[in-house]
């Protein structure tokens, strides 16, 4: 069902679906096994206009709305969670802040190449000293000397940091603590003093490159400050709201892939003389999975529609991200159970779907943080339904 999608939204969804089915799905299992980073795929995505979907045409984008962008992330993620994550992070975290807060010169120099597919964008937030508490845990500093910012510190869990054309860095530019002392600075790939650390070995998402990043007297031009000095925390919170819609869409894609695999297997696997799809226990798992994914889709679309309308959507994005990721977790878990022993083998994709989805309950705000956001709104007695 199309949920009254516009012609443009359907066209973008179909473009992403066709690309995913032809260029990603046939190779995803092998890439997961070898941990290969499929650079050529991103080049092809750029050529198709997929890497710049939400940005204006004047910067090389497609001018797509938030619903169309979520649809594209969902379709790519159905084929491969690793590429879905890299894709969502590139648009939502690496490029969107430049579009929202950058000046004309920054958009031309940094956003346009990302939108055109000439490189991937990245955002460096988390540090060894903390995670969810960004305001209090950021220790990376940037001091202004003449016409240069000089950065010192380190970041963890940087998606695409090893291959990014540019990395947006949340750092402390003021002496006072708390969020008022934080700024975002654009660090080019070739900046002196930028050191890319080791690739992290992860449970899943094996071809999405996750790295440590170090800044050792790292020098970047003064004009690489993004937006206002001291506004980095506020900018980051706004960006994460939009990113959560993307993470929800990614989870939806993985859950849909798991349900599709479960339906196929349940009709082909026989036990005690009949297909296991005929057993009520299996039917209940399939029914619950379909229902939860449908509910997740509606929450994602609602948050995206509010974003497109220019209305507040922080709580709705938190609801969508929370429900979709946890629903997909259950769907992927049920998929393994439906497959039985086969579900534990790497010969079948459902174990990969489960591994890949598990991060989504943590990244861009844990499930616990999303519940805090939603509860805070309830306790403030605001209307958000």
């Amino acid at each position: 069902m199309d949920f009254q999608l516009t012609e443009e939204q359907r066209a973008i969804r179909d473009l992403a679906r066709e690309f995913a089915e032809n260029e990603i799905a046939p190779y995803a299992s092998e890439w997961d096994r070898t941990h290969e980073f499929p650079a050529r795929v991103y080049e092809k995505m750029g050529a198709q206009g997929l890497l710049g979907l939400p940005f204006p045409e004047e910067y090389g984008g497609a001018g797509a709305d938030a619903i169309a962008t979520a649809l594209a992330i969902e379709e790519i993620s159905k084929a491969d969670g690793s590429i879905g994550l890299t894709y969502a992070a590139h648009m939502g975290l690496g490029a969107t802040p430049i579009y929202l807060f950058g000046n004309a010169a920054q958009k031309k120099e940094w956003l346009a190449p990302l939108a055109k597919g000439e490189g991937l964008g990245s955002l460096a937030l988390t540090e060894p000293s903390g995670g969810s508490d960004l305001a209090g845990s950021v220790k990376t500093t940037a001091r202004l000397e003449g016409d240069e910012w000089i950065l010192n510190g380190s970041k963890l869990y940087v998606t695409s940091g090893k291959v990014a054309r540019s990395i947006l860095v949340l750092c402390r530019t003021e002496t006072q603590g708390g969020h008022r002392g934080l700024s975002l600075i654009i660090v080019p790939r070739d900046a002196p003093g930028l050191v890319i650390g080791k690739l992290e070995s992860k449970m899943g998402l094996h071809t999405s490159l996750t790295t440590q990043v170090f800044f050792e007297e790292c020098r970047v031009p003064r004009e690489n400050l993004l937006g206002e000095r001291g506004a980095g925390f506020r900018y980051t919170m706004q960006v994460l709201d939009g990113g959560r819609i993307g993470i929800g869409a990614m989870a939806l894609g993985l859950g849909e892939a798991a349900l599709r695999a479960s339906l196929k297997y349940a009709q082909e696997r026989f036990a005690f003389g009949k297909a296991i799809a005929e057993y009520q226990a299996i039917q209940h798992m399939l029914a619950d999975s379909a229902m939860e994914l449908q509910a997740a889709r509606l929450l994602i679309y609602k948050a995206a529609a509010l974003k497109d309308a220019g209305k507040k959507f922080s709580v709705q994005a938190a609801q969508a991200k929370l429900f979709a990721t946890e629903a997909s977790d259950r769907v992927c878990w049920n998929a393994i159970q439906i497959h039985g022993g086969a579900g534990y083998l790497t010969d079948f994709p459902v174990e990969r779907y489960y591994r890949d989805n598990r991060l989504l309950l943590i990244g861009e705000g844990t499930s616990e943080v999303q519940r805090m956001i939603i509860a805070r709104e309830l306790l403030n007695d605001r209307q958000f339904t």
Side-chain angles (χ1 to χ4, degrees), residues 115-131:
K116 294 175 183 176
E118 296 172 5
L120 293 174
S122 184
L123 175 64
L125 297 179
T126 307
E127 300 192 1
S129 60

Side-chain angles (χ1 to χ4, degrees), residues 5-315:
L5 298 179
T6 66
E7 183 177 347
E8 180 181 0
Q9 289 165 348
R10 288 195 299 271
I12 290 173
R13 179 202 60 191
D14 293 346
L15 171 66
R17 178 178 295 170
E18 182 179 0
F19 183 89
E21 291 177 349
N22 294 330
E23 302 289 345
I24 300 175
Y27 316 104
S29 179
E30 180 65 12
W31 290 335
D32 178 70
R33 187 184 67 81
T34 63
H35 296 205
E36 175 187 351
F37 178 74
R40 181 62 178 151
V41 168
Y42 298 103
E43 295 174 6
K44 291 181 178 180
M45 291 176 75
Q48 292 284 332
L50 289 168
L51 291 184
L53 278 184
F55 310 114
E57 293 181 6
E58 64 182 296
Y59 300 115
D65 61 21
I67 292 177
T69 303
L71 288 165
I73 293 171
E74 177 188 345
E75 294 299 331
I76 297 296
S77 300
K78 282 181 187 178
D80 185 2
S82 291
I83 295 179
L85 177 64
T86 301
Y87 180 43
H90 160 77
M91 291 191 297
L93 303 182
T96 290
I98 304 174
Y99 171 61
L100 291 177
F101 314 117
N103 56 39
Q106 290 171 334
K107 291 176 183 178
K108 181 178 179 180
E109 182 175 2
W110 300 107
L111 175 61
L114 299 181
K116 294 175 183 176
E118 296 172 5
L120 293 174
S122 184
L123 175 64
L125 297 179
T126 307
E127 300 192 1
S129 60
S132 298
D133 178 21
L134 282 179
S137 64
V138 173
K139 308 299 182 187
T140 296
T141 61
R143 69 181 189 275
L144 190 59
E145 289 190 1
D147 291 330
E148 291 183 317
W149 291 102
I150 302 177
L151 284 73
N152 284 281
S154 62
K155 296 288 184 177
L156 296 174
Y157 314 139
V158 182
T159 300
S160 302
K162 184 178 177 62
V163 294
R165 184 181 189 273
S166 56
I167 303 175
L168 302 178
V169 181
L170 184 66
C171 52
R172 193 162 296 283
T173 55
E174 316 298 332
T175 56
Q176 71 262 34
H179 66 84
R180 296 185 185 277
L182 300 178
S183 300
L184 282 173
I185 292 178
I186 306 169
V187 177
R189 179 77 178 90
D190 59 355
L194 173 64
V195 179
I196 304 300
K198 71 180 182 71
L199 286 174
E200 301 290 0
S201 179
K202 308 189 297 289
M203 171 182 173
L205 299 166
H206 288 155
T207 65
S208 178
L209 304 182
T210 306
T211 59
Q212 298 175 350
V213 177
F214 301 92
F215 307 95
E216 301 174 356
E217 292 290 292
C218 177
R219 295 176 175 269
V220 300
R222 180 174 188 160
E223 57 266 25
N224 282 27
L225 174 69
L226 190 65
E228 299 177 15
R229 181 170 175 169
F233 180 79
R234 173 166 54 87
Y235 292 163
T236 300
M237 293 300 101
Q238 185 175 336
V239 167
L240 289 177
D241 282 343
R244 285 166 184 151
I245 297 174
I247 293 297
M250 180 185 165
L252 180 59
L254 286 167
E256 287 281 0
L259 176 57
R260 183 187 303 172
S262 296
L263 286 165
K264 183 176 184 295
Y265 187 83
Q267 294 174 81
E268 294 175 350
R269 173 65 171 174
F270 280 71
F272 304 102
K274 60 182 179 179
I276 63 172
E278 297 184 37
Y279 291 100
Q280 190 179 66
I282 301 298
Q283 291 176 355
H284 284 185
M285 284 191 279
L286 294 171
D288 287 346
S289 295
M291 176 181 63
E292 290 201 79
L293 292 175
Q294 187 80 317
R297 175 174 285 104
L298 293 173
L299 286 170
I300 293 165
Y301 287 6
K302 180 177 181 179
L306 288 172
K307 182 182 179 183
D308 287 332
K311 298 180 179 180
K312 292 182 179 180
F313 65 96
S314 296
V315 171

